[in-house]
């Protein structure tokens, strides 16, 4: 990649995002992206299989790094802490460019097909983390529950981080979200009032955006 | 519904499920379903908008009942307990016929498009529960996290219930799953060994079944 046209990859990414935001994902053609990036459509297809891949080509890497983090945790690490390490790794990969994440999120929220793709991506990650936990010796239901709960923490934190008025560290937001899950589950006894925590960010998670009738 | 042909609705459901399991969802045509049910295709379309709706037409009812349960919880109920009440309501609706749920799950797991539909349905439910919690005064991130965590509990419990060797009460399985989440989050401190609980059921959640590359 980049062997034929240095920097074409990032130029294509930038051009695609601009057009997705301007015209909408569906109305943007590969030819438009290539033209704006100053390359041919053929060059586009050397870098991406289709226009959707511009938004999702980081997924395999995310999955691999998060699994590696989970697998490198000491054997004594609890399942949920192992998941937390995996989420830390995800945050390390994508937390460095909030502007890009904001734009990507805006494009995805505007398109049901992309929302589905994002849901599937996260489901795939949950399945992979659960499998990783099982390989570490966790019982199946426990592994699945920890992975699903971890993804729940991640989705809420990610939406909050992207939507926040000020820049924050995604890793911190995920850790706070995990701490909140712990306090929600610890504090939730019947007839106990729910206390409103101090966060003032209105999150709009990927999951909340799916508007089709079910 | 049922005004023209008494019982056509349930005959169509049964015929559809048999064909979906025999031939696969994609290979089953509406005409085949109608024929096996002994009605016309026109009758099919009086009951369902398409063949997919045979599997998903309970969703609006599920959503409504779970929201009603959440909304009728005392104001002092914690957010997670309110979600637990919503899940109890879901279990009350679908927990009565495990054989049907098993068949439905088998059909869905065999078809990526149906898996997506199921993911979207659950995402929609998570969004609706979060909105319900916000109306009860919960702060946004807290509401989303409780709803997402609840759905995580539900997904794992549902898969476990469907896959179990013996019949069980879905409500109980959900409650156990919620209790397990509490113990996972409570017990998870670094350098503490994860203990394997007593469940021996290998769950295959909807979320674990999505096999497409991301």
């Amino acid at each position: 990649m980049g062997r034929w046209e240095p920097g074409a990859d990032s130029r294509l990414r930038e051009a695609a995002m601009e057009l997705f935001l301007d015209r909408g994902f569906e109305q943007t053609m590969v030819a438009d992206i290539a033209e704006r990036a100053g390359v041919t459509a053929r060059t586009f297809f050397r870098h991406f299989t289709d226009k959707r891949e511009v938004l999702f080509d980081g997924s395999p890497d995310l999955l691999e790094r998060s699994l590696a983090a989970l697998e490198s945790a000491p054997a004594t690490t609890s399942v949920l802490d192992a998941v937390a390490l995996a989420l830390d790794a995800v945050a390390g990969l994508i937390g460095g460019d909030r502007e890009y994440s904001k734009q990507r999120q805006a494009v995805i929220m505007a398109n049901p097909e992309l929302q589905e793709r994002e849901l599937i991506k996260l489901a795939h990650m949950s399945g992979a983390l659960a499998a990783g936990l099982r390989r570490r010796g966790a019982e199946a239901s426990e592994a699945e529950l920890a992975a699903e709960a971890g993804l729940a923490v991640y989705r809420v934190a990610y939406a909050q981080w992207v939507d926040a008025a000020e820049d924050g560290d995604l890793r911190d937001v995920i850790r706070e979200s995990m701490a909140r899950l712990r306090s929600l589950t610890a504090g939730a006894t019947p007839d106990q009032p729910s206390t409103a925590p101090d966060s003032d960010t209105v999150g709009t998670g990927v999951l909340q955006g799916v508007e089709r009738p079910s």
Side-chain angles (χ1 to χ4, degrees), chain A:
Chain A
M1 228 158 63
R3 188 151 57 96
W4 303 276
E5 297 82 12
D9 181 81
S10 57
R11 285 211 310 282
L12 281 165
R13 251 173 235 286
E14 222 167 282
M17 196 62 91
E18 284 170 16
L19 290 166
F20 292 162
L21 288 168
D22 274 5
R23 303 184 189 175
F25 177 79
E26 275 185 61
Q27 285 72 45
T28 299
M29 301 299 129
V30 164
D32 307 328
I33 299 172
E35 193 190 339
R36 181 166 298 203
V39 301
T40 62
R42 198 172 151 189
T43 298
F44 177 93
F45 289 115
R46 280 202 198 104
H47 294 271
F48 305 101
T49 52
D50 56 30
K51 63 179 177 173
R52 204 173 62 168
E53 210 209 336
V54 178
L55 299 166
F56 289 97
D57 73 334
S59 301
D61 199 25
L62 270 187
L63 197 60
E64 196 182 311
R65 301 268 202 111
S66 59
L67 265 180
L70 186 140
E71 279 158 10
S72 68
T76 53
T77 307
S78 78
V79 288
L80 202 64
D81 283 324
V83 169
L85 289 172
L87 299 182
D88 259 8
V90 171
L93 265 182
I94 67 173
D97 192 347
R98 196 170 76 110
E99 204 42 54
Y100 173 79
S101 293
K102 267 174 117 81
Q103 292 180 344
R104 180 179 178 278
Q105 185 82 339
V107 171
I108 286 175
M109 297 305 286
N111 185 292
E113 185 211 327
L114 296 175
Q115 289 173 31
E116 287 180 24
R117 182 75 243 151
E118 183 80 347
L119 282 174
I120 291 166
K121 186 189 93 176
L122 294 170
H124 192 65
M125 183 171 288
S126 171
L129 292 180
L133 290 171
R134 285 198 300 273
R135 282 193 299 274
R136 288 171 56 85
E139 177 271 337
S141 304
E142 186 186 45
E144 284 171 17
L145 190 55
E148 289 278 344
L151 265 290
V153 161
Y154 173 77
R155 277 192 287 253
V156 174
Y158 180 79
Q160 196 180 337
W161 174 69
V162 163
D163 290 344
E166 291 175 17
D167 268 349
D169 186 329
L170 176 56
R171 201 168 301 203
D172 290 342
V173 184
I174 291 174
R175 286 176 184 167
E176 283 159 25
S177 183
M178 183 66 91
R180 179 168 296 175
L181 177 67
R182 291 185 198 275
S183 82
L184 274 180
T185 51
T189 51
D191 298 328
Q192 204 173 27
S194 92
T195 54
D198 54 359
S199 165
D200 55 359
T201 308
V202 176
T204 309
V206 166
L207 292 183
Q208 275 66 48
V210 178
E211 289 295 343
R212 291 207 207 159
S214 49

